[in-house]
Amino acid sequence: MDLTQSTDKEKNDRAKKMMLWFGIVSLVMGFAGWTSAYIVSSSRDDWASDLQLPQSFYISTALIIVSSITYILAKKAIKEGKREICSNWLWATLALGVAFIIFQFRGFSEMVAQGYYFTGPTSSIKLSYVFLIAAVHIVHVVAGIISLLVVLYNQIKGKYAPQEYLGLSLGATFWHFLDFLWLYLLGFMYFVG
């Protein structure tokens, strides 16, 4: 297949997909670095082995899984030409994404209420990693929400159709990545150290 023979639109669409995947790979590398540092640090004498992850983290996990399902349903609806249903699923995804962030902050509050802090005399290196990894993921979910708001705006403006929904598809790919990333991070923090 000769990629130089494509139309300008095909080249542009392919470039957008590649940029998204380059971004995702760079995020994977960043989180791989933090989780690797977490593993290396777990051999320290001051490593807190009794930390229980807050219940709110598990609730937020359920929320982000459901939000990925609603994004899938939105994409399915636009493929079928059901614009209003697509919009409704996108709004549901947005609400679930915001709820995810709210429960993440509740999780931080639960840890602080138990006397666990990011830094200070009652903190440990493990607590600092847990706060850091969860907080950096929240920042990326905020980026996902901004992306979702752009998708919603374009959907309301009628930009997507059954044969043209690249923006929605790219937004969904990033959102699903954030979902899988959180599942990995939660499992990692639960099972390692």
Side-chain angles (χ1 to χ4, degrees), residues 36-56:
S36 295
Y38 184 100
I39 290 169
V40 169
S41 298
S42 68
S43 63
R44 292 172 48 127
D45 292 335
D46 61 347
W47 190 256
S49 60
D50 61 337
L51 173 68
Q52 297 293 318
L53 293 175
Q55 192 64 31
S56 292

Side-chain angles (χ1 to χ4, degrees), residues 45-107:
D45 292 335
D46 61 347
W47 190 256
S49 60
D50 61 337
L51 173 68
Q52 297 293 318
L53 293 175
Q55 192 64 31
S56 292
F57 279 12
Y58 300 107
I59 295 169
S60 66
T61 301
L63 291 169
I64 203 165
I65 289 169
V66 173
S67 75
S68 266
I69 294 168
T70 59
Y71 221 140
I72 289 168
L73 293 171
K75 189 174 171 182
K76 181 179 183 285
I78 200 65
K79 285 180 180 180
E80 296 171 355
K82 299 175 181 174
R83 295 184 37 72
E84 187 175 332
I85 293 172
C86 175
S87 296
N88 291 339
W89 285 124
L90 289 172
W91 283 111
T93 305
L94 178 63
L96 290 163
V98 170
F100 172 84
I101 292 174
I102 290 168
F103 275 92
Q104 290 285 288
F105 280 109
R106 282 190 182 170

